[in-house]
């Protein structure tokens, strides 16, 4: 073996060594990167599930507590003899956050009342002052006041939130309101006329103004537990909402 | 000589700029996500207010958004998987730019819901679309920068040797 050959093979060995090092280094990098990626995606998935789970709605019970509608006041839902704790719900049929509250926690309010754990009072009010939202809200609120039967009122109330129009268009039109009332089984013969003539539009407005002032509302939805405003963090987490109400009953 | 030394200065400044870009975009995302997470309903309502997505999808996005923001933000701040994460962050901000522009074009009077809030304006409040768009677009630029020149100083990628190859390619 000549001198040149020896040198060459030494160079080759070094080169091979370097190539092997590079390969090992690259493999390590890929493993590290993949691990970090998997951990990040797992954290993302777990976080999203956790966040959705916190706002998971309760299964609605089969029965509702008895509901009493008073034309120029709130609508009371509760078993006979249950007078506290009182949950006052101030909501506007046109307000998106109220729709969200009903979607997330509506079943909890109903269940608590049905279980005799609370008396729930709904106050459908109008908080908007500009069109088209004000008109939408007044029409819907006035129409709801035309429903005198408790069960039908609740079904109509739920439907209104479900069908809530965008805040940017005219909605809750008279014929829609009449149609939805019939869909949910409103049977009162004067219902259609009451809605069409918007017989309770003035009451809807005056009641809203009165409640707004008396209760110092800053917006809707506002929910008060025994007169104390509840935190949104609790309101929109059904399990915490239930716990807060049960604690108040103690 | 003077020219080459100043160009070396510029080159040595690039990683620092990346670090700043990562930190600014990352912290903004963490704060935005953190403010939303305390009140999950707000981000759901805000996403719906844009009327861009069908209702059920908007609900999922509303719950997912704060988590996505926080995790992307954390990864940017620690500088892990910088390039990929910066691309995702930039796309996220681009989506916000698009969303706000959409609301503006459609004439919706909404709050962007960027830092919590349910997308509803308080009485007498006017939307600040242009400001929101400019801010978010600036954040897009930061994300693009971090994706182009990863990982910057003080990055986990650097410590873990995850970017050495890229650095050589860039040089």
């Amino acid at each position: 073996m000549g001198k040149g050959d020896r040198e060459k093979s030494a160079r080759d060995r070094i080169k091979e060594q370097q190539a092997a090092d590079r390969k090992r280094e690259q493999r390590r990098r890929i493993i590290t990167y993949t691990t970090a990626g998997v951990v990040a995606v797992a954290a993302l998935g777990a976080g999203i599930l956790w966040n959705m789970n916190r706002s998971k709605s309760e299964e609605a019970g089969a029965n509702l507590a008895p509901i009493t509608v008073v034309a120029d006041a709130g609508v009371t839902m509760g078993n006979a003899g249950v007078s506290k704790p009182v949950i006052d719900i101030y909501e506007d049929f046109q307000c998106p956050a109220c729709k969200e509250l009903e979607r997330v926690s509506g079943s909890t309010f109903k269940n608590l009342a049905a279980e005799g754990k609370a008396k729930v009072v709904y106050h459908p009010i109008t908080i908007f002052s500009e069109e088209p939202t004000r008109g939408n809200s007044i029409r819907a609120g006035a129409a709801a006041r035309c429903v005198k039967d408790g069960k039908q009122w609740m079904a109509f109330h739920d439907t209104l939130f479900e069908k809530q129009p965008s805040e940017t268009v005219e909605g809750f039109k008279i014929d829609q309101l009449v149609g939805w009332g019939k869909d949910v089984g409103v049977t009162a013969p004067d219902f259609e006329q009451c809605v069409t003539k918007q017989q309770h539009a003035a009451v809807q407005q005056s009641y809203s103004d009165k409640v707004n002032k008396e209760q110092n509302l800053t917006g809707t939805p506002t929910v008060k537990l025994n007169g104390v405003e509840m935190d949104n963090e609790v309101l929109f987490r059904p399990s915490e909402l239930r716990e807060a109400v049960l604690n108040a009953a103690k | 000589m003077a020219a080459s030394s100043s160009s070396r200065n510029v080159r040595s400044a690039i990683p620092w700029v990346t670090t700043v870009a990562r930190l600014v975009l990352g912290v903004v995302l963490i704060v935005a996500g953190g403010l939303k997470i305390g009140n999950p309903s707000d981000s759901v309502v805000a996403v719906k207010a844009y009327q861009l997505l069908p209702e059920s999808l908007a609900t999922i996005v509303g719950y997912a958004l704060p988590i996505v923001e926080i995790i992307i933000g954390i990864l940017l701040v620690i500088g892990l998987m910088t390039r990929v994460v910066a691309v995702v962050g930039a796309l996220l901000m681009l989506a916000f730019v698009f969303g706000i522009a959409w609301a503006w074009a459609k004439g919706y009077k909404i709050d962007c819901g960027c830092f919590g809030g349910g997308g509803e304006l308080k009485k007498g409040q006017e939307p600040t679309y242009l400001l929101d768009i400019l801010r978010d677009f600036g954040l897009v630029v930061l994300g693009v920068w971090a994706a182009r020149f990863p990982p910057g100083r003080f990055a986990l990628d650097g410590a873990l040797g995850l970017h050495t190859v890229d650095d050589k390619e860039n040089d």
Side-chain angles (χ1 to χ4, degrees):
Chain A
M1 217 191 267
K3 197 181 166 205
D5 284 346
R6 265 209 306 279
E7 265 184 8
K8 191 175 167 211
S9 78
R11 258 206 312 276
D12 283 350
R13 269 207 304 278
I14 290 171
K15 244 184 211 157
E16 276 166 23
Q17 183 64 41
Q18 282 173 337
D21 283 350
R22 262 203 303 277
K23 215 172 214 167
R24 202 164 41 236
E25 178 59 22
Q26 197 177 2
R27 202 163 47 224
R28 188 193 67 82
R29 213 178 285 140
I30 290 172
I31 291 172
T32 311
Y33 211 102
T34 312
T35 310
V38 168
V39 169
V41 170
L44 200 66
I48 292 170
L49 282 181
W50 167 78
N51 204 24
M52 292 184 86
N53 217 31
R54 281 198 307 174
S55 301
K56 202 172 168 206
S57 298
E58 284 184 11
E59 201 84 42
N63 295 309
L64 290 174
I67 299 165
T68 318
V69 182
V70 183
D72 55 354
V75 174
T76 306
M77 171 171 72
N79 289 343
V82 179
S83 57
K84 60 181 185 180
V86 180
I87 305 173
D88 283 294
I89 304 176
Y90 301 93
E91 54 186 2
D92 187 318
F93 288 121
Q94 175 64 66
C95 128
C98 305
K99 177 189 167 101
E100 184 66 9
L101 178 69
E102 286 292 336
R103 185 182 73 81
V104 174
S105 298
S107 54
T108 306
F109 293 127
K110 289 178 185 137
N111 290 348
L112 286 168
E115 292 160 21
K117 299 280 168 39
K119 179 176 141 187
V120 181
V121 187
Y122 292 87
H123 305 267
I125 56 170
T126 295
I127 52 151
F128 294 97
S129 53
E130 282 173 47
E131 294 302 332
T133 42
R134 180 183 171 274
N136 292 353
S137 171
I138 293 273
R139 275 192 300 282
R145 288 172 194 281
C146 297
V147 185
K148 305 287 185 243
D149 174 88
K151 259 191 187 152
Q152 293 170 4
W153 183 91
M154 186 54 75
F156 192 61
H157 158 275
D158 292 349
T159 302
L160 288 180
F161 278 116
E162 223 169 88
K163 311 260 187 190
Q164 182 183 82
S166 149
E167 288 181 285
T168 52
V169 298
E170 192 190 324
F172 286 147
K173 294 183 180 148
I174 297 290
D175 53 336
Q176 288 179 320
L177 294 167
V178 171
W180 295 332
K182 288 183 175 156
D183 289 349
V184 301
V186 176
T187 45
D190 62 343
F191 173 72
E192 183 164 352
Q193 198 190 20
C194 175
V195 176
T196 312
K197 292 200 166 158
Q198 285 286 287
Q199 279 174 8
H200 299 301
V203 172
Q204 173 68 16
Q205 185 65 68
S206 62
Y207 181 71
S208 302
D209 295 343
K210 187 183 95 166
V211 165
N212 219 335
K213 214 154 125 197
E214 281 176 3
Q215 299 295 329
N216 266 322
L217 301 181
T218 51
T220 51
T222 296
V223 176
K224 294 190 176 181
L225 178 57
N226 288 335
V228 181
E229 187 167 340
M230 297 185 82
D231 226 348
N232 270 356
E233 287 206 30
V234 177
L235 268 185
F236 285 90
R237 284 173 205 152
S239 57
E240 288 181 34
L241 171 63
R242 168 172 285 274
E243 204 186 308
V245 173
L246 294 185
N247 282 340
K250 278 176 194 162
Chain B
M1 283 302 274
S4 89
S5 98
S6 82
S7 88
R8 201 170 340 158
N9 281 345
V10 167
R11 209 176 312 157
S12 69
I14 286 176
W16 290 106
V17 177
T18 303
T19 304
V20 171
R22 266 176 32 220
L23 288 179
V24 172
L25 180 55
V27 168
V28 167
L29 283 171
I30 292 172
V31 170
L35 287 171
K36 287 187 194 107
I37 213 166
N39 201 341
S41 61
D42 267 6
S43 62
V44 174
V45 174
V47 173
K48 286 180 181 170
Y50 283 90
Q51 303 178 42
L52 245 169
L53 301 170
E55 190 119 340
S56 55
L57 190 58
T59 306
I60 294 171
V61 171
Y63 285 124
L65 197 54
I67 308 290
V68 173
E69 286 178 327
I70 288 173
I71 288 184
I72 296 290
I74 290 173
L75 290 172
L76 277 171
V77 167
I78 63 176
L80 187 58
M81 304 188 286
T82 305
R83 175 161 278 172
V84 174
V85 170
V87 168
V88 175
L91 287 175
L92 194 58
M93 299 317 298
L94 203 60
F96 295 156
V97 169
F98 176 77
I100 298 165
W102 160 277
W104 195 3
K106 286 265 175 179
Y108 300 157
K109 282 188 138 192
I110 57 176
D111 174 84
C112 74
C114 305
F115 297 93
E120 277 174 274
L121 287 166
K122 297 217 167 59
K123 223 173 172 175
Q125 211 180 342
E126 282 298 309
T128 52
Y129 297 124
L130 187 61
L131 271 177
D132 293 333
I133 286 178
L134 287 177
R135 182 199 57 219
D136 285 0
F137 192 76
L139 293 168
V140 172
V141 172
L142 294 183
V144 169
W145 177 283
R148 175 67 187 81
F149 303 107
R153 304 278 176 218
F154 299 122
L156 219 47
D157 277 343
L160 293 171
L162 290 179
H163 258 285
T164 46
V165 176
D166 286 2
D167 285 351
K168 271 177 199 135
E169 279 169 2
N170 286 340
D171 279 350

